[in-house]
Amino acid sequence: MTTKSAPAVNGAGGGKHRRGGRWWYAAAGALLVALLAVAVSSRSFPGTPSSSQGGCSCPAARKYTGMVEDCCCDYETVDSINEEVLHPILQDLVKLPFFRYFKVKLWCDCPFWPDDGMCRLRDCSVCECPENEFPEPFKNPYSGLSPDSMICQEGKPQAAVDKTLDNKVFKGWVETDNPWTSDDETDNNEMTYVNLQLNPERYTGYTGDSARRIWDSIYKENCPKYPSEELCHEKKVLYKLISGLHSSISVHIAYDYLLDESTNSWGQNLPLLYDRVLKYPERVQNLYFTYLFVLRAATKAADYLEQAEYNTGNPEDDLKTQSLVKQLLYHPKLRSACPKPFDEAKLWKGENGPELKQEIQKQFRNISAIMDCVGCEKCRLWGKLQVLGLGTALKILFSVDGDNHLNQPLQLQRNEVIALFNLLNRLSESVKFVHEKGSSIEEVIKEQRPPTVQKDASKPNLKLDFL
């Protein structure tokens, strides 16, 4: 910004005042210093201004422009639609009772490495649930986390799940298997309902070898290490979905970060956001790709989702839920600007299409199973929810024949719908934050740090924390 303003001032002066004398140059110099001072003063952490603010009528050049790779929508449209339509509706939607609660098995055995005791501690789970989907009204008020709950979460209170639940009941939906996910979460004896609004996705202190092993297993064993020309299109899609989800998780860690444990001070860790996501353009691109992929799944299932039963026992909330779902999926701005965010018909072509689909299904099921190995309760909650949401998107796009669903009718569990929309909201939040803060953060970081040789941005960062 400052490097462009100086030549503009000098250029204008040189064209109109060839005989202006020293007074003009002094005035121009003073103006330049003033502009520099204003620009620098606006670049301090925290509170970096969003791209929509500022007094300059000329918007800064966009780093990401044109079509999102392998999608049917461009970056400018995604940011505009997300800002005006999707993000506001999703923010309201996920706060309503139907989407607020998620049924999950938090006490679990890791199927891959038995030495991670965190996931096997029964006392670390949220609660024990009866066989029916939701218990009778909780009679005992929530009185805070017990010391044992804090200890079993690697000594990090922020990693434990808040068990507080409201008095809500759900009407049962059909239980159907998802060919893309490896879950046995229809066993209500080991399930619990979690209020997602009381357990936001944020930094939990889950770092080190345990978190690193999760991402190592996801990338090295079930997903290509990084895209290459040798990979087929379908495998690149799988990699980009996981990378985009990974980027979104990293954004939420940086957005809600424990800045000072001694004072319990929380805020935005913008340098972390740069180091984990913004420094690598491919990760930002994959975030947008994953967002459009999940959005396409939701819009493809629009008729089904509009007619679904959003019954929580509160008619007013239930009608509002159905209305917001309809507004989201049938909004005229979305349908005119980006009617088909992703074209799934391009995949699984050729003779090896069915075999390739089964191979990638197996890989994603393994990724789903790895979530049972996450050693932090709250991280496991959001990991399982978002992987289920991504698996639901894959199920909608690739496990039903055509848009009319005649040969294989679409059937979703209530939990899948909850996961799908909460994932869409998480991605929407990440895209919005990166769009608003990304350019200004990059400028400030580059000014504050000496230039260094960046690592290969095409490779996944396997040292990232989970949450």
Side-chain angles (χ1 to χ4, degrees):
M1 176 178 176
T2 56
T3 57
K4 294 182 179 179
S5 58
V9 173
N10 294 335
K16 297 181 180 180
H17 301 279
R18 297 181 183 276
R19 300 179 182 179
R22 294 182 179 180
W23 68 267
W24 187 90
Y25 292 103
L31 177 60
L32 177 58
V33 170
L35 289 173
L36 286 170
V38 171
V40 172
S41 66
S42 67
R43 293 181 178 181
S44 58
F45 293 122
T48 304
S50 70
S51 59
S52 61
Q53 297 175 339
C56 180
S57 60
C58 302
R62 293 180 59 98
K63 182 173 182 179
Y64 300 97
T65 186
M67 299 297 291
V68 179
E69 186 180 18
D70 295 325
C71 292
C72 307
C73 200
D74 58 64
Y75 287 97
E76 292 85 352
T77 299
V78 174
D79 291 327
S80 174
I81 293 297
N82 188 51
E83 179 80 23
E84 298 176 19
V85 177
L86 300 175
H87 184 264
I89 295 177
L90 286 166
Q91 289 286 291
D92 290 338
L93 195 61
V94 297
K95 294 174 185 175
L96 290 169
F98 183 87
F99 289 103
R100 189 188 308 162
Y101 299 103
F102 181 61
K103 185 174 71 172
V104 62
K105 184 192 294 184
L106 290 175
W107 178 73
C108 48
D109 290 315
C110 174
F112 300 106
W113 47 83
D115 59 329
D116 194 346
M118 287 295 300
C119 198
R120 295 196 302 274
L121 292 177
R122 189 89 184 193
D123 292 339
C124 289
S125 62
V126 176
C127 67
E128 296 182 26
C129 295
E131 293 185 1
N132 57 334
E133 285 187 341
F134 201 77
E136 293 181 2
F138 276 55
K139 299 178 181 179
N140 298 324
Y142 179 69
S143 58
L145 296 170
S146 68
D148 290 340
S149 295
M150 296 183 182
I151 292 172
C152 75
Q153 294 301 319
E154 296 184 347
K156 302 292 183 181
Q158 62 268 19
V161 173
D162 191 327
K163 302 176 184 179
T164 308
L165 291 171
D166 292 341
N167 173 19
K168 302 293 180 185
V169 290
F170 289 104
K171 203 164 185 178
W173 281 29
V174 63
E175 298 287 0
T176 59
D177 291 331
N178 187 332
W180 292 89
T181 58
S182 176
D183 60 59
D184 54 351
E185 310 220 334
T186 57
D187 183 2
N188 292 323
N189 288 322
E190 297 183 352
M191 304 298 292
T192 184
Y193 277 96
V194 176
N195 187 331
L196 299 173
Q197 294 297 303
L198 297 178
N199 298 278
E201 185 183 19
R202 67 197 304 198
Y203 170 82
T204 65
Y206 181 45
T207 61
D209 293 340
S210 179
R212 189 156 47 245
R213 181 167 53 179
I214 298 296
W215 289 112
D216 281 344
S217 298
I218 290 175
Y219 281 113
K220 291 183 178 180
E221 299 175 18
N222 300 286
C223 196
K225 291 183 180 180
Y226 53 91
S228 66
E229 295 302 324
E230 291 74 25
L231 291 178
C232 64
H233 183 55
E234 288 79 1
K235 290 187 177 182
K236 286 183 180 179
V237 166
L238 175 61
Y239 168 80
K240 291 168 72 170
L241 288 175
I242 298 303
S243 173
L245 177 60
H246 196 171
S247 296
S248 181
I249 290 173
S250 299
V251 170
H252 284 92
I253 293 172
Y255 183 82
D256 201 358
Y257 196 86
L258 182 60
L259 300 175
D260 189 339
E261 190 169 357
S262 63
T263 60
N264 195 34
S265 175
W266 293 79
Q268 296 175 3
N269 189 334
L270 301 184
L272 183 71
L273 177 63
Y274 175 79
D275 289 334
R276 300 278 175 85
V277 180
L278 299 179
K279 186 165 65 173
Y280 305 97
E282 184 201 61
R283 296 178 189 175
V284 177
Q285 294 164 4
N286 292 340
L287 169 63
Y288 276 78
F289 173 83
T290 304
Y291 183 34
L292 289 175
F293 185 95
V294 177
L295 179 61
R296 166 56 182 161
T299 56
K300 182 176 181 178
D303 292 345
Y304 179 95
L305 293 170
E306 179 195 5
Q307 299 172 19
E309 188 176 49
Y310 301 100
N311 190 339
T312 65
N314 186 323
E316 183 178 352
D317 283 341
D318 298 342
L319 286 174
K320 185 177 181 180
T321 302
Q322 195 160 28
S323 174
L324 286 175
V325 169
K326 186 175 181 179
Q327 289 179 44
L328 180 76
L329 300 176
Y330 294 99
H331 200 285
K333 286 187 177 181
L334 173 62
R335 295 218 154 191
S336 61
C338 191
K340 196 170 187 177
F342 175 81
D343 186 4
E344 67 279 5
K346 295 181 179 179
L347 276 64
W348 322 118
K349 299 295 185 181
E351 296 180 0
N352 297 327
E355 292 79 7
L356 182 60
K357 182 177 177 180
Q358 290 182 357
E359 178 186 350
I360 294 181
Q361 273 186 347
K362 181 180 179 180
Q363 290 173 325
F364 193 83
R365 282 199 299 269
N366 285 339
I367 293 172
S368 174
I370 289 173
M371 294 301 102
D372 283 336
C373 301
V374 176
C376 154
E377 188 177 61
K378 192 171 290 183
C379 310
R380 193 183 318 131
L381 163 66
W382 282 102
K384 290 170 81 75
L385 180 144
Q386 293 180 90
V387 169
L388 176 60
L390 201 52
T392 303
L394 288 163
K395 174 181 177 179
I396 292 171
L397 294 182
F398 302 127
S399 297
V400 176
D401 293 335
D403 290 328
N404 54 13
H405 314 306
L406 294 177
N407 297 325
Q408 193 174 352
L410 177 63
Q411 288 187 322
L412 299 176
Q413 297 184 38
R414 184 188 63 249
N415 223 34
E416 291 176 325
V417 176
I418 293 170
L420 180 70
F421 279 95
N422 273 281
L423 171 61
L424 193 61
N425 180 60
R426 298 277 89 184
L427 294 167
S428 170
E429 289 176 336
S430 296
V431 165
K432 184 175 186 293
F433 189 53
V434 166
H435 169 60
E436 290 182 346
K437 301 279 188 176
S439 297
S440 53
I441 293 173
E442 289 188 65
E443 290 180 11
V444 174
I445 293 292
K446 289 176 181 178
E447 288 180 359
Q448 292 178 347
R449 296 178 181 178
T452 58
V453 179
Q454 294 188 4
K455 298 179 180 178
D456 186 354
S458 66
K459 296 182 180 180
N461 185 350
L462 298 179
K463 294 183 179 181
L464 291 185
D465 300 341
F466 198 87
L467 281 178

